[in-house]
Amino acid sequence: MFMLAKRLLLLAAVLLPLACSSEASDGGGAGGDIGDDALIVPEDLTVTALPGGNGVLNVIALTLRKGPAGTELYAALRNDGDRPACHAALAVELYDRTQQSVAAGINGLLTQHFYQLADGSGAIAACVGPGDVTMAALTDWPSDIVIEDVGHVVYRCPYFALDVVPIDGLTISEVKAVPGGAGTAYTGTLLNGLDVAVSDPSVTVFSVNRVGRPLGMASASGTVQLPPGGSWDFETGAVDAPGPDHAAYPAAAIATQ
């Protein structure tokens, strides 16, 4: 999920993660609109950060739905702080309408921007910069969840507050939606803008509605190695819930010699 150097992996193991902000995004307000303008779906779902959080990442849109393979949760978050949140994750707990816990899950947040540690080590970090929007997908839920019974989503966002500087990283261009019988797939090109080679590139594309709420997710992965300046053409699987727009996020591993 992350673009990491081995040295950064060792560093991350000894750092304490921060929690995400306690600012609430509440279904009664943000999700009051329906259709293409809905920010929270189901529209009566309440979404709040875990009380006591003091971080910078806030959920701004969320979809909880029953997909072809089971329950799916897609979230968009924004960094409302003044420093990058590095190697961030989204942890979610679902509660029913009697405030009983139904299930919990966690997954990494995706990013379009890359940074380098300012300590001279050259280690690379995937961070959500100030003002950036990130997304996450959580799809590994128990099969017996009933969406209509879920009334409250509580989230937290562990991340690392590292001293980093922005660098050119992985970028995605020329993304096109390709409708087909199984749904809508996406094609495009991933470019390695780093000054080191990367391997096993992957792309995650979210279909989004008019206000940026993620509706579904498709991905593509490769086994190629990309030198600095190298590119990889991809085609994702299909989403069954296409929207008028999309958000694409790249990833890869630092190639080892």
Side-chain angles (χ1 to χ4, degrees), residues 101-154:
S101 177
V102 174
I106 187 170
N107 204 357
L109 292 174
L110 301 169
T111 181
Q112 296 170 332
H113 298 140
F114 297 85
Y115 294 75
Q116 196 167 60
L117 283 171
D119 61 3
S121 66
I124 297 170
C127 305
V128 185
D132 285 353
V133 172
T134 176
M135 293 188 180
L138 290 85
T139 57
D140 189 18
W141 298 101
S143 59
D144 58 351
I145 290 179
V146 179
I147 301 296
E148 293 74 18
D149 291 345
V150 179
H152 193 190
V153 175
V154 177

Side-chain angles (χ1 to χ4, degrees), residues 177 183-184 186 207-209 215-216 239-245:
T184 296
Y186 297 91
S207 59
V208 300
N209 71 350
L215 309 173
V239 295
D240 69 325
D245 208 346

Side-chain angles (χ1 to χ4, degrees), residues 39-195:
L39 285 171
I40 305 293
V41 169
E43 58 265 20
D44 61 348
L45 192 66
T46 300
V47 181
T48 57
L50 185 70
N54 62 344
V56 298
L57 294 167
N58 294 308
V59 169
I60 58 174
L62 183 142
T63 299
L64 180 65
R65 58 171 287 218
K66 189 67 75 173
T71 300
E72 301 171 349
L73 185 149
Y74 303 109
L77 302 92
R78 185 178 59 229
N79 182 344
D80 290 326
D82 58 3
R83 66 179 305 166
C86 298
H87 307 305
L90 173 66
V92 169
E93 189 159 9
L94 308 181
Y95 292 85
D96 65 19
R97 300 185 187 279
T98 67
Q99 298 302 312
Q100 298 299 308
S101 177
V102 174
I106 187 170
N107 204 357
L109 292 174
L110 301 169
T111 181
Q112 296 170 332
H113 298 140
F114 297 85
Y115 294 75
Q116 196 167 60
L117 283 171
D119 61 3
S121 66
I124 297 170
C127 305
V128 185
D132 285 353
V133 172
T134 176
M135 293 188 180
L138 290 85
T139 57
D140 189 18
W141 298 101
S143 59
D144 58 351
I145 290 179
V146 179
I147 301 296
E148 293 74 18
D149 291 345
V150 179
H152 193 190
V153 175
V154 177
Y155 69 91
R156 63 182 179 88
C157 304
Y159 64 88
F160 298 105
L162 304 176
D163 187 10
V164 293
V165 294
I167 59 172
D168 292 334
L170 306 176
T171 57
I172 298 173
S173 63
E174 301 178 357
V175 178
K176 296 179 181 179
V178 183
T184 296
Y186 297 91
T187 62
T189 301
L190 181 151
L191 175 67
N192 178 17
L194 296 166
D195 59 5

